[in-house]
Amino acid sequence: MAEIRKVGVVGLGAMGAGIAQLCVEAGLETVGREVTAELGQTARDRIGHFLTRKVEKGQFEQEARDDAVGRLTLTTELDAFADCDLVFEAIVEELEPKQELFGELDRICRPDAVLATNTSALSVTEIAAAASTPGRVVGMHFFNPAPLMPLVEIVRAELTEDEPFERAFAFGERIGKTPIRCHDTPGFVVNRVLIPLLNDCIRVLDEARVTPEDMDAGMKNGAGWPMGPCTLVDLVGIDVHVHASEALYEKTREPRMAPPPRLVAMRNAGLLGRKSGRGFYRYD
Ligand code: CAA
């Protein structure tokens, strides 16, 4: 199996920056692409901040931190991925832009490069259909916050070939994650279970007339969750959660997948959780 030496990440939002952070921490040369140089710099600052916190907490040496940040090259051009062995896509969660991107990556990247999408609720098979070589397209689905959550789902689309699939799995292990293998079904493994569960929690807020604080205390202290569901939806982003729920509902037609009206109203009002400063809770 050819070794992965250089990695590309398209889209340096919360998930893409987290993936890029994992790669540079693991010692890999990493190219990160954003649409503007300013957005790229914001992502680099974010990564630098979290690595500095590790130094402050004695988990990382200052020199190792500086070397890691130095391994990230920023670009606004896709051509910069021509010599990458693995390219992650972490752009907007919509099929059309993702398909367009995979069409371009397919043309730009070396034929033996693995192309991975971090989609959480779209079909990897449909994204891969835009590439003339869909056999090398896999899903590598990380969880938020990517640098902290151990899991990565390695998703086999209809036409994914064995070699790129196993390379993606081995790469997940190499960057310190716990990968699991699964097929391309709506929500894969964890979101198929977690999204309806979170939607149930939000519906129970109204049904049982419970406060977000008490719901969170309930699930933390009664079910052993590390973080309550309202805090978690605020962390993931209410817009992201609503979008994923809609995508899964469209595919499965299971009522529990549909986003609760309360979340849709919050999304429409711009209450997106942590990133907008207000969701179930306020963040100053
Ligand atoms: N990127 C990098 N580093 C980060 C970070 C981020 N986004 N967020 C926090 N950190 C770092 C910070 O430096 C922080 O330390 P300081 O506050 O001292 O600066 C440190 O990580 C926190 O680490 P801790 O170990 O202290 O955190 P914790 O023990 O409180 O655990 C947690 C945090 C791992 C997030 C835990 O609360 C947890 O497991 N929550 C559940 C999260 C979860 O379920 N995620 C899945 C969401 S669903 C999803 O992602 C699917 C999808 O497709 C939408």
Side-chain angles (χ1 to χ4, degrees), residues 25-75:
E25 277 191 77
L28 289 133
E29 288 303 318
T30 305
V31 186
R33 189 255 190 178
E34 256 302 345
V35 283
T36 65
E38 291 72 29
L39 284 172
Q41 191 52 46
T42 302
R44 193 208 292 277
D45 293 345
R46 180 187 171 95
I47 293 169
H49 163 79
F50 285 126
L51 294 182
T52 297
R53 286 294 298 144
K54 280 192 157 183
V55 174
E56 287 164 356
K57 290 192 274 186
Q59 297 165 350
F60 219 41
E61 295 292 328
Q62 180 68 41
E63 203 183 332
R65 177 247 176 241
D66 295 343
D67 289 349
V69 176
R71 279 191 283 273
L72 177 66
T73 312
L74 297 174
T75 181

XYZ file of all heavy atoms in Angstrom, residues 25-75:
397
model
N -0.385 17.648 13.063
C 0.078 17.073 14.337
C 0.702 15.705 14.110
O 1.617 15.301 14.831
C -1.091 16.930 15.321
C -1.422 18.178 16.085
C -2.408 17.884 17.217
O -1.991 17.346 18.242
O -3.597 18.208 17.042
N 0.198 14.970 13.116
C 0.732 13.633 12.816
C 1.982 13.709 11.937
O 2.484 12.676 11.496
C -0.352 12.786 12.147
N 2.460 14.919 11.650
C 3.726 15.069 10.927
C 3.602 15.115 9.420
O 4.598 14.971 8.709
N 2.378 15.324 8.912
C 2.200 15.311 7.448
C 2.202 16.712 6.859
O 1.591 17.631 7.430
C 0.862 14.655 7.122
C 0.875 13.161 7.382
C -0.347 12.742 8.154
C 0.971 12.409 6.069
N 2.863 16.848 5.718
C 2.756 18.089 4.955
C 1.295 18.229 4.524
O 0.723 17.285 3.957
C 3.646 18.026 3.705
C 5.124 18.110 3.994
C 5.498 19.379 4.767
O 4.969 20.462 4.436
O 6.293 19.257 5.716
N 0.697 19.369 4.778
C -0.741 19.536 4.526
C -0.996 20.837 3.781
O -0.495 21.895 4.174
C -1.503 19.541 5.882
O -1.166 18.338 6.584
C -2.997 19.620 5.691
N -1.776 20.731 2.711
C -2.177 21.919 1.966
C -3.641 22.177 2.276
O -4.478 21.279 2.140
C -2.043 21.699 0.429
C -2.335 22.997 -0.325
C -0.684 21.169 0.071
N -3.942 23.394 2.716
C -5.331 23.721 3.031
C -5.836 24.775 2.074
O -5.165 25.777 1.820
N -7.038 24.557 1.541
C -7.565 25.519 0.578
C -8.839 26.183 1.107
O -9.755 25.497 1.573
C -7.875 24.786 -0.739
C -8.219 25.716 -1.873
C -9.684 25.695 -2.132
N -10.015 26.391 -3.352
C -11.231 26.499 -3.836
N -12.243 25.940 -3.215
N -11.459 27.151 -4.947
N -8.817 27.506 1.042
C -10.029 28.277 1.330
C -10.274 29.197 0.143
O -9.408 29.381 -0.703
C -9.873 29.083 2.630
C -10.618 28.506 3.830
C -12.136 28.342 3.621
O -12.679 28.915 2.668
O -12.768 27.645 4.431
N -11.478 29.796 0.076
C -11.791 30.623 -1.082
C -11.057 31.967 -1.057
O -10.798 32.550 -2.099
C -13.317 30.830 -1.253
C -13.960 29.592 -1.831
C -13.988 31.197 0.057
N -10.727 32.452 0.153
C -9.919 33.670 0.232
C -8.743 33.423 1.176
O -8.813 32.551 2.060
C -10.726 34.872 0.808
O -11.060 34.567 2.180
C -11.978 35.159 0.018
N -7.686 34.228 0.984
C -6.502 34.110 1.842
C -6.868 34.419 3.300
O -6.340 33.807 4.226
C -5.411 35.057 1.354
N -7.820 35.347 3.500
C -8.206 35.732 4.867
C -8.847 34.550 5.598
O -8.535 34.293 6.764
C -9.220 36.901 4.849
C -8.658 38.233 4.379
C -8.376 38.269 2.869
O -9.069 37.563 2.093
O -7.446 38.984 2.466
N -9.728 33.828 4.904
C -10.369 32.670 5.551
C -9.330 31.596 5.874
O -9.398 30.928 6.905
C -11.471 32.095 4.647
C -12.764 32.902 4.607
C -13.714 32.352 3.546
C -13.451 32.881 5.979
N -8.357 31.445 4.983
C -7.268 30.491 5.233
C -6.496 30.876 6.485
O -6.202 30.035 7.341
N -6.205 32.167 6.608
C -5.441 32.649 7.762
C -6.235 32.461 9.053
O -5.671 32.085 10.090
C -5.066 34.123 7.561
C -4.049 34.648 8.555
C -2.778 33.784 8.650
O -2.215 33.402 7.625
N -2.354 33.457 9.864
N -7.562 32.663 8.981
C -8.412 32.447 10.169
C -8.297 30.994 10.639
O -8.201 30.709 11.837
C -9.889 32.776 9.829
O -9.935 34.130 9.390
C -10.814 32.586 11.012
N -8.284 30.073 9.676
C -8.174 28.645 10.027
C -6.798 28.351 10.628
O -6.683 27.625 11.613
C -8.408 27.784 8.788
N -5.748 28.925 10.039
C -4.413 28.703 10.582
C -4.325 29.234 12.039
O -3.752 28.590 12.912
C -3.345 29.376 9.711
C -1.939 28.888 10.078
C -0.891 29.933 9.777
N -0.706 30.176 8.364
C 0.059 29.442 7.568
N 0.695 28.410 8.036
N 0.176 29.759 6.300
N -4.934 30.403 12.261
C -4.930 30.977 13.615
C -5.669 30.058 14.594
O -5.253 29.882 15.735
C -5.603 32.362 13.621
C -4.781 33.395 12.844
O -3.594 33.128 12.550
O -5.349 34.470 12.529
N -6.769 29.484 14.112
C -7.563 28.582 14.966
C -6.717 27.360 15.364
O -6.679 26.969 16.531
C -8.800 28.149 14.158
C -9.736 27.206 14.873
C -10.814 26.734 13.866
N -11.624 25.672 14.439
C -12.779 25.861 15.052
N -13.279 27.066 15.154
N -13.458 24.845 15.542
N -6.040 26.789 14.363
C -5.198 25.619 14.626
C -4.063 26.009 15.583
O -3.775 25.310 16.561
C -4.638 25.046 13.295
C -5.785 24.479 12.466
C -3.547 24.012 13.544
C -5.420 24.130 11.030
N -3.444 27.157 15.293
C -2.350 27.650 16.148
C -2.820 27.829 17.585
O -2.127 27.451 18.534
N -4.036 28.353 17.739
C -4.595 28.581 19.082
C -4.740 27.267 19.849
O -4.311 27.155 21.006
C -5.953 29.286 18.967
C -6.777 29.207 20.214
N -6.556 30.020 21.308
C -7.814 28.375 20.563
C -7.408 29.699 22.273
N -8.185 28.711 21.846
N -5.335 26.264 19.200
C -5.555 24.999 19.917
C -4.229 24.298 20.230
O -4.088 23.671 21.291
C -6.495 24.077 19.121
C -7.934 24.518 19.176
C -8.664 24.735 18.012
C -8.561 24.736 20.405
C -9.993 25.155 18.070
C -9.889 25.152 20.469
C -10.611 25.358 19.302
N -3.258 24.430 19.329
C -1.954 23.804 19.602
C -1.218 24.556 20.714
O -0.520 23.940 21.524
C -1.116 23.721 18.321
C -1.688 22.784 17.249
C -0.769 22.733 16.027
C -1.886 21.366 17.791
N -1.385 25.880 20.769
C -0.786 26.658 21.863
C -1.384 26.231 23.200
O -0.673 26.082 24.198
C -1.012 28.172 21.633
O -0.335 28.538 20.433
C -0.488 29.013 22.792
N -2.696 25.997 23.209
C -3.339 25.528 24.450
C -2.714 24.201 24.899
O -2.523 23.970 26.085
C -4.850 25.342 24.244
C -5.638 26.621 24.154
C -5.648 27.432 25.442
N -6.274 26.730 26.563
C -5.879 26.806 27.836
N -4.846 27.548 28.158
N -6.501 26.120 28.780
N -2.384 23.348 23.922
C -1.749 22.066 24.273
C -0.383 22.293 24.907
O -0.001 21.598 25.837
C -1.585 21.188 23.020
C -2.845 20.474 22.605
C -2.518 19.412 21.567
C -3.567 18.331 21.537
N -3.242 17.251 20.600
N 0.365 23.274 24.369
C 1.686 23.604 24.933
C 1.486 24.117 26.359
O 2.166 23.673 27.297
C 2.412 24.667 24.064
C 3.708 25.118 24.734
C 2.689 24.120 22.669
N 0.525 25.019 26.537
C 0.274 25.598 27.868
C -0.110 24.530 28.884
O 0.174 24.653 30.061
C -0.843 26.659 27.774
C -0.373 27.939 27.082
C -1.526 28.846 26.636
O -2.709 28.462 26.781
O -1.227 29.937 26.126
N -0.755 23.470 28.374
C -1.186 22.413 29.297
C -0.143 21.284 29.411
O -0.419 20.239 29.992
C -2.537 21.859 28.841
C -3.660 22.878 29.042
C -5.040 22.285 28.884
C -5.496 22.273 27.466
N -6.872 21.842 27.277
N 1.038 21.491 28.765
C 2.130 20.516 28.870
C 1.924 19.267 28.031
O 2.552 18.237 28.257
N 1.029 19.360 27.010
C 0.764 18.177 26.186
C 1.594 18.179 24.904
O 1.579 17.210 24.138
C -0.728 18.136 25.805
C -1.657 18.005 26.989
C -3.109 18.326 26.640
O -3.418 18.825 25.559
N -4.002 18.044 27.570
N 2.324 19.274 24.660
C 3.025 19.449 23.387
C 4.195 20.396 23.654
O 4.065 21.334 24.455
C 2.030 20.124 22.429
C 2.063 19.653 21.002
C 2.194 18.326 20.665
C 1.929 20.587 19.959
C 2.201 17.918 19.341
C 1.925 20.183 18.631
C 2.062 18.847 18.334
N 5.337 20.159 22.985
C 6.479 21.078 23.123
C 6.249 22.281 22.203
O 5.671 22.140 21.120
C 7.771 20.372 22.675
C 8.182 19.203 23.545
C 8.606 19.642 24.939
O 9.147 20.754 25.072
O 8.357 18.884 25.899
N 6.790 23.435 22.602
C 6.640 24.651 21.782
C 7.209 24.436 20.365
O 6.605 24.824 19.363
C 7.348 25.825 22.463
C 7.254 27.147 21.706
C 5.838 27.723 21.660
O 5.115 27.689 22.652
N 5.424 28.214 20.495
N 8.378 23.777 20.295
C 9.031 23.573 18.996
C 8.173 22.664 18.094
O 8.019 22.924 16.898
C 10.405 22.939 19.227
C 11.367 23.187 18.092
C 12.692 22.481 18.328
O 13.075 22.273 19.499
O 13.329 22.130 17.315
N 7.607 21.623 18.713
C 6.744 20.698 17.952
C 5.494 21.431 17.473
O 5.013 21.198 16.355
C 6.355 19.514 18.828
N 5.006 22.333 18.309
C 3.830 23.132 17.931
C 4.142 24.002 16.726
O 3.391 24.058 15.752
C 3.395 23.985 19.131
C 2.222 24.918 18.861
C 2.670 26.374 18.913
N 1.590 27.272 18.569
C 1.628 28.118 17.524
N 2.678 28.175 16.722
N 0.628 28.895 17.272
N 5.330 24.682 16.769
C 5.705 25.569 15.666
C 5.940 24.767 14.380
O 5.549 25.187 13.294
C 6.962 26.372 16.034
C 6.694 27.322 17.206
O 5.511 27.591 17.495
O 7.677 27.766 17.831
N 6.572 23.587 14.522
C 6.797 22.730 13.343
C 5.460 22.295 12.741
O 5.294 22.281 11.521
C 7.594 21.471 13.729
C 9.046 21.795 14.047
O 9.472 22.941 13.756
O 9.740 20.923 14.600
N 4.519 21.949 13.618
C 3.207 21.484 13.136
C 2.512 22.601 12.353
O 2.049 22.381 11.223
C 2.342 21.021 14.303
N 2.480 23.792 12.912
C 1.824 24.917 12.211
C 2.555 25.184 10.888
O 1.925 25.468 9.861
C 1.767 26.179 13.103
C 1.189 27.368 12.338
C 0.920 25.916 14.352
N 3.875 25.028 10.895
C 4.680 25.260 9.689
C 4.419 24.235 8.582
O 4.745 24.479 7.420
N 3.861 23.080 8.951
C 3.573 22.059 7.925
C 2.300 22.367 7.142
O 1.991 21.702 6.171
C 3.450 20.677 8.585
C 4.802 20.026 8.869
C 4.663 18.583 9.270
N 4.217 18.413 10.627
C 5.026 18.384 11.690
N 6.323 18.492 11.543
N 4.532 18.233 12.898
N 1.547 23.382 7.586
C 0.312 23.748 6.871
C 0.598 24.844 5.847
O 1.045 25.937 6.197
C -0.748 24.238 7.868
C -2.061 24.733 7.247
C -2.812 23.585 6.570
C -2.960 25.369 8.309
N 0.366 24.543 4.584
C 0.497 25.532 3.520
C -0.908 25.953 3.106
O -1.778 25.098 2.932
C 1.170 24.895 2.271
O 2.310 24.185 2.701
C 1.556 25.928 1.243
N -1.114 27.248 2.951
C -2.441 27.724 2.552
C -2.470 28.048 1.063
O -1.468 28.494 0.504
C -2.804 28.978 3.354
C -2.929 28.782 4.860
C -3.140 30.128 5.554
C -4.067 27.821 5.200
N -3.606 27.827 0.459
C -3.769 28.144 -0.953
C -5.221 28.521 -1.222
O -6.102 28.215 -0.422
C -3.380 26.926 -1.836
O -3.517 27.272 -3.207
C -4.275 25.718 -1.565
